[in-house]
Amino acid sequence: MSDAAPPPLIETGLVALDVDLGATKEEVIAGLAGLVGATGRADAEGLAASALEREALSPTGMPGGFAIPHCRSVAVHTGSLGFARLRAPVDFGAKDGPADLVFLIAAAQDGGADHMKLLTKLARALVKKGFLADLRAATSADQIVELVGDVVQGPRGDGSGVSAAAAAPDAAAPDAAAPDATVSDASVPDPTAPDVAAPAQPGAGEPRRTVVAVTACPTGIAHTYMAADYLVAAGAELGVTVLVEPQGSSATTPLTPAQIAGAAAAIFATDVGVKGRERFAGIPVVECGVKRAVNEPADLITAALATAEDPGGRRVAAGSGAGSGAGASGPGSVGTGGPEGRVGGSGGLSLAQRLKQVLLTGVSYMIPFVAAGGLLIALAFAVGGYQVVDVSRDVVLRHSLWDLPAAYGDRGPLAVYLGSVLHQLGAAAFAFLVPALAGYIAFGIADRPGIAPGFTAGSVAVLVGAGFIGGLLGGLVAGVVAAWIAGFAAPRFLRGLMPVVVIPLCASLVAGGLLLVFGMPLRALTEGLQGWLSGLSGTSAVVLGVILGLMMCFDLGGPVNKAAYAFAAVGLDQDDPTTLQIMAAVMAAGMVPPLAMALATLVRKQLFTPAERENGVAAWALGASFITEGAIPFAAADPLRVIPSMMAGGAVTGALSMFVGATSRAPHGGVFVFFAIGNVLLWLAAIGCGALVACACVVLAKGVGASGSARPEAGRRATDPDKVGR
């Protein structure tokens, strides 16, 4: 006996026709979340917050005048669709203008497979012009419910899954069916897009060219499948067979080895890593964000075929791992870049984007070592006292729980032993900082074959005293050399050995050897920098604090923030008071943005949307834990007001922390490692002053010329289901 059918995704209470939910997409999303919340299917504020967080990743406006804000959220109890037909269209970021039709797709965090399939069907139906025309012509909520029900569950009586109007084909379907039913009868939906040089249609008797594609978005609900359908439809108009593997929330049928082998080129239209990327090794490739496949699918197909005809075009590198964003390499790997991963002449990302990507890869993999090692060392100080630094190695090697050492300082034998164990564990983790940074920078460039030479280069950087700078440069050299070697067409008998023997051996020899030969100048540079920092005092130290504070708050967890943090964490020396002061200033400044935004949402609620007020509650804990990213939702919604305000507060905190001489022996943990903070009360005061300054600046900035989204009446209207005016 089968399980009971899931409840319907949409009902009349979730439909609002010809309404005004506000002038901004934030207000419209909040209004639709209010509709869903009024039916008991979700917590309205939590749903709005999750949908806006997803919206910050990339706009959900689509060509054709509709938008599909969506999310998976713990605030959703039952998978649901909220629908609004707006009197006045609202900008959701689509290239062809604002949207008058808006679906809020609300999926439960642990949503069942049945609901995910229904949501996927809806997203794909929206590609069809006939379905959109039906939605605009409907005169009642019941008609909307019936139209959506026909699409996702089949019309009453025939079970086909497509209404008569929606099923009207807008373009001929491709000859070959794509995996996971990705063949769509929708047309290319943006008639206003500039003309592209379309490939010539194959003549009689000529084989159709085939392009394979992978699409994926962070939530795997809407963009993943719509991008697949747009690519297939554009291929039909261009006379190209497009086979797509949508890697989304619903079950995916992978492309077969035969389909991949027979393809002229590949398209990776993803906002996340490509699963099973190594399957495409050697195939010409273009890469971009998933939104570009929706907006300009014909351009992508044209660029993919052009790359295939270019002997120097970009290819997927051998040994590319699943989920890697950096596996493609080879000649001509630099494109023009762009906010949506716009494809350049070779189909790659821009040099600046790639450099940013690989550096952030290295730092992101390094941070767990920093956090684990730093917190273990902080706990060692709490248990065994600061003097444990001098004895921990000898204690751990010569003693055990059955043979405790003598008391040391004001700590007893057990405390000295446990503190020594914790300190040695932390020191072991800390020893991997520079090798991990270099290893994963190389991984970001050359994928798995780059890891061994990168770690080797990082270890050599530590050996010669080149420190953080040496590790960064060593990782870049190791990655570039490994990717360069991987680009050679090796004989068949060597191909299996290339990623596990030849590439690591040669790249390690080159990168490690260069650091051994040229490491002394880097060591002199590092020692000179450390000496200059150690000599800072008074005004100079305060200026350094200002600079570090500005960097920590400039991009709220981005490359500049990570650079300042890595500088402090990698240089942390328990015997050098200046490095402890730098660490304290960096951690204090990084705590300011979330704390300041949390305070601002408390003291001037009317300036913030319900979703932002919800984020403000969570920002207290994030700020206290030194998670600067807690302020990103606020900055994404209003960067020109939020980011300068946060930088002002961070500069104040960094300067005050350096001025009062606060120190931190732990590189992470926020207020929860108070026992490792020197001058802890003055340090907390510095954080408080910076948070107050940032809060005052952002409140003043939002209060002067605030947008409609900040008006209290707009926020109430958007979330009050009784005022949507069905």
Side-chain angles (χ1 to χ4, degrees):
M1 183 175 179
S2 63
D3 294 335
L9 287 171
I10 191 168
E11 56 189 59
T12 56
L14 297 174
V15 177
L17 295 181
D18 305 318
V19 295
D20 178 11
L21 297 182
T24 67
K25 63 181 181 179
E26 290 82 9
E27 292 178 325
V28 174
I29 290 173
L32 284 169
L35 283 180
V36 178
T39 64
R41 291 167 169 253
D43 171 67
E45 289 196 356
L47 170 58
S50 297
L52 288 171
E53 183 178 353
R54 166 60 187 87
E55 191 75 20
L57 298 176
S58 64
T60 56
M62 296 291 164
F66 71 95
I68 48 168
H70 56 278
C71 66
R72 301 183 72 167
S73 173
V74 293
V76 178
H77 314 312
T78 302
S80 305
L81 296 172
F83 174 76
R85 192 171 66 199
L86 305 175
R87 287 197 190 98
V90 172
D91 183 14
F92 273 79
K95 191 175 74 170
D96 64 341
D100 64 329
L101 303 178
V102 184
F103 272 103
L104 174 61
I105 303 178
Q109 187 68 44
D110 55 351
D114 289 339
H115 263 142
M116 297 311 301
K117 289 177 181 177
L118 298 181
L119 292 171
T120 298
K121 286 183 179 180
L122 171 71
R124 303 176 94 158
L126 287 167
V127 175
K128 301 176 175 67
K129 292 180 179 178
F131 181 54
L132 295 176
D134 282 352
L135 294 174
R136 290 189 170 99
T139 58
S140 69
D142 287 327
Q143 285 184 318
I144 297 293
V145 172
E146 183 176 354
L147 283 168
V148 174
D150 286 351
V151 165
V152 300
Q153 295 170 323
R156 298 170 189 176
D158 70 6
S160 69
V162 183
S163 67
D170 296 319
D175 292 346
D180 201 27
T182 58
V183 173
S184 169
D185 58 4
S187 69
V188 179
D190 187 3
T192 65
D195 293 336
V196 296
Q201 298 280 352
E206 292 183 28
R208 280 177 78 101
R209 288 164 296 177
T210 299
V211 172
V212 292
V214 175
T215 59
C217 67
T219 53
I221 298 173
H223 287 82
T224 298
Y225 301 96
M226 296 179 74
D229 288 344
Y230 279 116
L231 285 170
V232 170
E237 290 200 343
L238 296 173
V240 178
T241 298
V242 180
L243 306 177
V244 189
E245 180 183 310
Q247 297 180 351
S249 297
S250 298
T252 297
T253 302
L255 291 164
T256 66
Q259 288 171 327
I260 296 173
I267 296 170
F268 293 159
T270 69
D271 292 333
V272 293
V274 176
K275 299 174 184 175
R277 186 186 182 104
E278 68 278 358
R279 297 173 294 155
F280 301 86
I283 293 180
V285 65
V286 294
E287 295 192 68
C288 64
V290 69
K291 190 73 180 291
R292 179 160 163 76
V294 172
N295 288 333
E296 300 173 16
D299 283 357
L300 277 177
I301 296 170
T302 303
L305 293 174
T307 302
E309 295 170 1
D310 180 4
R314 195 167 188 244
R315 268 61 176 167
V316 180
S320 293
S324 168
S329 61
S333 61
V334 178
T336 60
E340 293 179 10
R342 192 173 185 86
V343 175
S346 64
L349 302 177
S350 71
L351 178 61
Q353 287 177 312
R354 288 288 294 122
L355 185 59
K356 170 185 171 182
Q357 191 179 65
V358 300
L359 292 179
L360 284 181
T361 298
V363 173
S364 65
Y365 278 103
M366 179 195 76
I367 285 177
F369 291 96
V370 176
L375 292 175
L376 283 168
I377 290 174
L379 289 173
F381 295 151
V383 173
Y386 294 126
Q387 67 273 10
V388 77
V389 174
D390 301 323
V391 299
S392 64
R393 180 176 175 82
D394 184 68
V395 167
V396 168
L397 294 179
R398 296 177 180 272
H399 298 275
S400 68
L401 282 172
W402 295 271
D403 179 24
L404 292 174
Y408 191 84
D410 59 349
R411 307 298 169 111
L414 181 60
V416 171
Y417 179 73
L418 294 178
S420 298
V421 169
L422 290 168
H423 185 268
Q424 285 301 303
L425 289 173
F430 241 57
F432 284 100
L433 296 193
V434 174
L437 175 70
Y440 286 106
I441 285 175
F443 168 76
I445 297 172
D447 211 275
R448 285 176 293 185
I451 292 179
F455 266 86
T456 301
S459 298
V460 172
V462 174
L463 176 66
V464 300
F468 169 68
I469 298 174
L472 190 151
L473 294 176
L476 290 172
V477 171
V480 169
V481 172
W484 178 66
I485 297 173
F488 284 100
R492 183 178 297 274
F493 71 91
L494 267 182
R495 289 177 188 171
L497 295 176
M498 288 291 288
V500 294
V501 176
V502 178
I503 296 174
L505 171 64
C506 297
S508 296
L509 180 63
V510 173
L514 285 174
L515 271 177
L516 281 173
V517 173
F518 297 103
M520 294 309 294
L522 291 175
R523 177 177 180 175
L525 177 62
T526 300
E527 290 179 346
L529 178 61
Q530 291 174 340
W532 174 68
L533 292 174
S534 298
L536 290 177
S537 61
T539 303
S540 299
V542 170
V543 171
L544 178 62
V546 169
I547 295 172
L548 292 173
L550 291 171
M551 292 177 68
M552 288 300 294
C553 299
F554 174 72
D555 51 4
L556 306 175
V560 177
N561 169 283
K562 291 293 190 290
Y565 177 72
F567 167 70
V570 174
L572 189 61
D573 183 349
Q574 301 296 335
D575 296 323
D576 186 345
T578 301
T579 66
L580 304 183
Q581 291 177 17
I582 291 171
M583 190 71 251
V586 163
M587 185 152 61
M591 294 164 65
V592 165
L595 292 176
M597 295 310 305
L599 181 61
T601 60
L602 186 65
V603 299
R604 290 295 301 275
K605 293 182 179 181
Q606 65 270 30
L607 293 176
F608 299 91
T609 65
E612 288 174 326
R613 294 197 291 270
E614 181 77 16
N615 287 332
V617 175
W620 287 111
L622 295 174
S625 303
F626 181 38
I627 301 176
T628 313
E629 289 84 350
I632 287 179
F634 303 96
D638 193 2
L640 295 181
R641 292 186 178 95
V642 171
I643 290 178
S645 302
M646 298 306 102
M647 291 176 68
V652 168
T653 292
L656 289 176
S657 179
M658 293 295 287
F659 179 74
V660 301
T663 59
S664 175
R665 294 180 178 272
H668 212 290
V671 298
F672 300 103
V673 291
F674 63 91
F675 49 82
I677 305 295
N679 293 332
V680 63
L681 294 180
L682 292 176
W683 182 73
L684 291 173
I687 296 172
C689 290
L692 287 172
V693 169
C695 173
C697 289
V698 78
V699 166
L700 180 62
K702 281 181 171 287
V704 176
S707 66
S709 62
R711 294 195 303 267
E713 62 272 16
R716 286 194 295 271
R717 183 181 68 239
T719 55
D720 187 349
D722 295 328
K723 299 200 177 178
V724 295
R726 286 195 300 272

